[in-house]
Amino acid sequence: MAGVAVVASGNYDLEIDTGFVQDAFLLDDPVAGLLDNTTYVLDGTTQYASVLDGINQVNVRRGRRDQGDQFSAGTMTFTMLDTDGIFMPFDEDSPYYDTAEAKPGLAPMRRVRLSRYSATNVKEYLFKGVIVNFDYNFALGGLDTVTVYCADDFYLLAQTYLDEFNVSEELSSARLTAILDRPEVAYPAATRDISTGTQTLGGAAAYTIPNNTNVLGYCSKINEAEQGRLFIARDGDLTFQPRIGTTLDPSVADFSELGANIPYNGLGITFEADQVVNRAVVQHLGNQTPQVAEDTGSQATYFIQTYSITDSLLHSDAAALNLATYLLDPLPEPRFTSLNTAFAMLSSAERDTVAVIDIGDTITIEKTFAPGTNPASLAQELSVEGIEHSINVDNGHIVTYYTSPTTVVYELILDDPTFGILTADNALG
């Protein structure tokens, strides 16, 4: 039976670390000094095996659905038809069985990656992570199947704990780097993309990290103080972005159900009172006095709805009050919160654009309303907070984006009649 590669026009690949490693080519070595590309390579590298042909469904979930949520580990699940039985964990004759370690090829903590090739044959990753579990189902009289559950490297951070650590007063990005550099964490420097933070974290005795503090939990506290984004990108890099606010980044994709923009077939809109925050309380570790920001006008209409942080890593009362003010969201406004589009309705160029949109990117969504409606249409520029990919033999590839509001300002362009005026919408780059 054909896998998703057929439905997806052969543009995808799903690879699993076989557990075998090609040794590095070593000068003057009597064995590894003989360059044989089938055995030795210039740098030691993990061997991956493509398993896409037997797969009939892949689902990926990354990021978060709402700006107020914390980022958790991204996940990927896929189901394979094991027509030859080579993925059965007891099959020692499987080409993926590691006889040296007596481990099956489809084993927990093996690396896994999902990729797509563009129209110009450029390989773009949609997910990188590790296998955390798999269920093998023997179908008496039918085809055996195996369902594989994967998670990105946040899963590894969630299984790691810190020794007691006396921290210094520093920017959030510097603190995150210090945590990842700890010997008990040793997160690879080559797979980090950490932008400079905007918030200073405390370094007094009250901020000392206790022994056995969970690494992912503490990194989430860093991001809570920053109010930025902390996630594993589609290419596997641990990514940290500063506090969300205005941005100079233009839209990477414009969607509309009519016209020349990228089409979509599903749009979610939210307009909920429970998203209101009209009282925010932030207390940092260095002080027992909470800092409070309120909007009494909103409280009169929507009652008091409070957001509270009692153990912030911020370094001062002023920073805590600034965060409390930032967290206020006193008036609910309708906005586009999710969008999904099917690759079957897109052109080749549109598929290439849509596939590589990642968390933190800005997109534009336009909706045209029924005749006689005022306004006739509405366009919103939004930040991507979460992404889901669904790829299967019945429906092909469908992608869903979850969004949050953003304010896009444009770089000042001298002598331009629109962008040459220094305003709230045009800023120095």
Side-chain angles (χ1 to χ4, degrees):
M1 182 174 179
V4 296
V6 175
V7 175
S9 304
N11 289 334
Y12 297 76
D13 199 6
L14 201 157
E15 303 165 287
I16 295 176
D17 169 13
T18 63
F20 301 105
V21 178
Q22 286 181 306
D23 293 327
F25 175 69
L26 303 175
L27 291 173
D28 300 325
D29 188 282
V31 177
L34 301 176
L35 186 57
D36 175 357
N37 286 331
T38 63
T39 305
Y40 299 104
V41 292
L42 292 180
D43 57 342
T45 181
T46 300
Q47 290 184 345
Y48 283 85
S50 177
V51 297
L52 189 66
D53 286 344
I55 292 175
N56 60 13
Q57 179 173 312
V58 182
N59 292 296
V60 175
R61 292 184 177 181
R62 299 176 43 247
R64 57 187 179 181
R65 293 197 172 195
D66 186 81
Q67 185 176 333
D69 299 336
Q70 285 287 0
F71 287 97
S72 57
T75 62
M76 178 172 69
T77 306
F78 59 92
T79 302
M80 296 191 297
L81 303 174
D82 194 11
T83 55
D84 299 320
I86 59 176
F87 293 111
M88 197 223 355
F90 305 115
D91 183 6
E92 297 182 8
D93 293 327
S94 166
Y96 305 117
Y97 193 87
D98 185 350
T99 54
E101 298 291 335
K103 292 181 180 179
L106 197 63
M109 304 313 295
R110 288 280 168 83
R111 284 281 167 185
V112 61
R113 56 194 190 187
L114 172 68
S115 58
R116 178 184 181 275
Y117 289 87
S118 72
T120 56
N121 207 35
V122 176
K123 187 175 186 177
E124 299 282 3
Y125 289 104
L126 305 184
F127 180 89
K128 283 186 177 183
V130 295
I131 295 172
V132 296
N133 187 26
F134 68 93
D135 295 331
Y136 198 96
N137 302 295
F138 293 100
L140 300 180
L143 293 175
D144 297 337
T145 61
V146 55
T147 301
V148 185
Y149 303 92
C150 314
D152 64 28
D153 283 357
F154 266 9
Y155 174 84
L156 304 180
L157 293 180
Q159 310 305 312
T160 308
Y161 292 82
L162 291 163
D163 296 335
E164 183 175 307
F165 180 33
N166 296 318
V167 296
S168 302
E169 186 171 300
E170 58 197 344
L171 285 176
S172 56
S173 51
R175 178 68 56 82
L176 178 61
T177 298
I179 295 300
L180 299 178
D181 285 344
R182 295 286 298 168
E184 64 269 28
V185 181
Y187 197 91
T191 56
R192 305 181 196 177
D193 184 7
I194 300 177
S195 300
T196 302
T198 65
Q199 304 302 303
T200 301
L201 307 186
Y207 295 88
T208 296
I209 300 175
N211 189 44
N212 288 327
T213 296
N214 183 267
V215 173
L216 182 59
Y218 190 82
C219 291
S220 296
K221 293 299 293 183
I222 294 174
N223 190 53
E224 181 185 63
E226 177 67 38
Q227 288 294 310
R229 297 185 183 94
L230 177 64
F231 60 95
I232 303 296
R234 61 182 179 83
D235 62 1
D237 283 359
L238 185 148
T239 304
F240 179 70
Q241 298 172 350
R243 181 167 292 190
I244 301 170
T246 57
T247 178
L248 282 165
D249 294 335
S251 173
V252 300
D254 299 331
F255 294 89
S256 63
E257 85 280 29
L258 300 173
N261 292 331
I262 301 172
Y264 59 84
N265 56 357
L267 183 64
I269 301 175
T270 187
F271 189 30
E272 301 175 354
D274 62 4
Q275 291 192 336
V276 168
V277 175
N278 51 35
R279 184 174 186 269
V281 181
V282 178
Q283 180 177 321
H284 64 93
L285 292 173
N287 198 339
Q288 299 302 310
T289 304
Q291 303 300 302
V292 181
E294 298 187 85
D295 189 306
T296 55
S298 173
Q299 291 174 2
T301 303
Y302 299 105
F303 306 102
I304 297 176
Q305 301 194 51
T306 301
Y307 188 105
S308 179
I309 300 174
T310 58
D311 55 353
S312 173
L313 301 180
L314 290 169
H315 75 299
S316 69
D317 286 349
L321 181 59
N322 179 269
L323 175 56
T325 303
Y326 176 87
L327 292 171
L328 289 177
D329 190 6
L331 300 174
E333 294 182 358
R335 63 176 178 86
F336 304 138
T337 54
S338 65
L339 175 145
N340 63 273
T341 184
F343 276 41
M345 62 191 296
L346 305 182
S347 69
S348 179
E350 288 170 340
R351 294 176 187 178
D352 290 349
T353 297
V354 166
V356 298
I357 293 173
D358 208 350
I359 297 165
D361 286 341
T362 300
I363 62 174
T364 300
I365 303 174
E366 183 176 7
K367 179 73 176 76
T368 301
F369 304 112
T373 304
N374 185 25
S377 64
L378 176 65
Q380 293 183 338
E381 289 179 317
L382 303 160
S383 291
V384 175
E385 299 293 336
I387 300 173
E388 295 182 4
H389 294 278
S390 175
I391 309 172
N392 61 59
V393 295
D394 295 321
N395 301 315
H397 189 169
I398 298 173
V399 62
T400 302
Y401 305 107
Y402 296 96
T403 64
S404 67
T406 192
T407 302
V408 177
V409 296
Y410 301 94
E411 192 166 355
L412 184 72
I413 303 175
L414 294 178
D415 299 325
D416 187 282
T418 301
F419 301 111
I421 301 172
L422 190 61
T423 66
D425 295 323
N426 300 329
L428 294 174

